[in-house]
Amino acid sequence: MHDEFVANLRLLCSYYPSIADVCRRLPINRAQFNRYLSGRYYPSHAALQRICHFFGVTPDDIALPHHDFRALVQTGQLNADTASTSLLAAVNNDVTSGDYHFRACH
């Protein structure tokens, strides 16, 4: 489950210009966020809630198997009540322009 979280968080971050940009928008310390991205640490409940709220996903969503989560993100089937408009716009732009890529994870 921890590996799935890391892969899913990397996917969400890949829709933004940089990790630094994500950290500024959250706001969260970049060094701490890098620990989450590396899988060294799992966020506290409060940090997880903030991350999920920012990206417009639920804690259950972000813990899904990566291939399932990726499909949800790519098809725009995130929970409409919580989905971040900036993430949805980024996903829709990448998918409709044919410029979709995995910058942060493979």
Side-chain angles (χ1 to χ4, degrees):
M1 181 170 110
H2 193 70
D3 291 338
E4 302 293 353
F5 169 79
V6 171
N8 294 341
L9 183 59
R10 287 177 182 227
L11 173 64
L12 292 170
C13 289
S14 74
Y15 289 100
Y16 291 84
S18 68
I19 300 301
D21 182 51
V22 170
C23 292
R24 276 190 298 273
R25 291 175 186 227
L26 269 169
I28 196 166
N29 180 286
R30 170 116 185 238
Q32 186 63 33
F33 196 76
N34 283 336
R35 291 180 189 112
Y36 304 150
L37 288 174
S38 72
R40 286 180 37 209
Y41 293 97
Y42 193 79
S44 67
H45 178 73
L48 179 62
Q49 291 297 323
R50 187 171 1 154
I51 290 166
C52 288
H53 179 75
F54 173 76
F55 287 114
V57 297
T58 67
D60 290 337
D61 292 339
I62 205 165
L64 288 171
H66 183 64
H67 65 279
D68 293 342
F69 184 79
R70 184 177 62 223
L72 280 176
V73 170
Q74 288 177 334
T75 60
Q77 294 180 6
L78 294 171
N79 182 340
D81 293 336
T82 61
S84 164
T85 55
S86 60
L87 176 62
L88 289 176
V91 169
N92 289 334
N93 185 45
D94 284 350
V95 171
T96 58
S97 70
D99 190 31
Y100 183 78
H101 59 281
F102 288 99
R103 194 176 59 220
C105 62
H106 302 253

